[in-house]
Amino acid sequence: MTVKLITAVIKPFKLDEVKAALEAFGVRGLTVSEASGFGRQKGHTEVYRGAEYKVDLVPKLRVEVLVDDEDAHDIIDVIVKAARTDKIGDGKVWAVPVDTVVRVRTGETGPDAL
């Protein structure tokens, strides 16, 4: 059995929904970090105290989950459904194979380390 790292870049206000959906699926852990970037929309303009300025990098959250390979497609679907707003900037989700995983506390490796 192999392990995959699923990474999702989502809108910050969707975190609670994504987290709840992953917990309901049975995911036991995840990592969340702040991120910023842009996609096709290339940012946007805002007005602050009468001055207009361009926001090139939009705030996002990066959610990472290590999962068994066999669950990867289902978990991607769970994240996409929970994160979707049907508006520009909803984010991206991708998966990559992981060669080695070790639980630091116990030394367990591979799927046992999840």
Side-chain angles (χ1 to χ4, degrees):
M1 189 179 300
T2 59
V3 175
K4 291 241 172 130
L5 172 64
I6 297 177
T7 303
V9 176
I10 63 170
K11 291 182 174 181
F13 70 89
K14 295 301 269 180
L15 177 61
D16 289 340
E17 290 176 53
V18 169
K19 186 177 165 223
L22 288 170
E23 287 173 349
F25 186 84
V27 170
R28 294 176 300 197
L30 56 83
T31 301
V32 177
S33 18
E34 291 182 9
S36 57
F38 68 87
R40 292 181 182 168
Q41 79 271 16
K42 304 279 195 276
H44 61 278
T45 58
E46 290 186 4
V47 176
Y48 178 71
R49 294 190 176 180
E52 186 174 297
Y53 65 99
K54 185 168 170 104
V55 178
D56 291 334
L57 300 176
V58 179
K60 302 285 184 179
L61 291 179
R62 180 180 178 119
V63 179
E64 296 175 307
V65 185
L66 284 169
V67 301
D68 286 334
D69 188 39
E70 62 193 32
D71 293 332
H73 288 292
D74 291 336
I75 290 175
I76 288 171
D77 288 343
V78 165
I79 294 170
V80 168
K81 286 177 185 152
R84 175 177 282 147
T85 68
D86 290 325
K87 298 206 170 30
I88 287 176
D90 274 353
K92 297 267 189 299
V93 182
W94 63 90
V96 294
V98 174
D99 292 334
T100 306
V101 178
V102 179
R103 183 185 307 268
V104 174
R105 179 177 55 85
T106 62
E108 292 170 294
T109 61
D112 293 335
L114 300 180

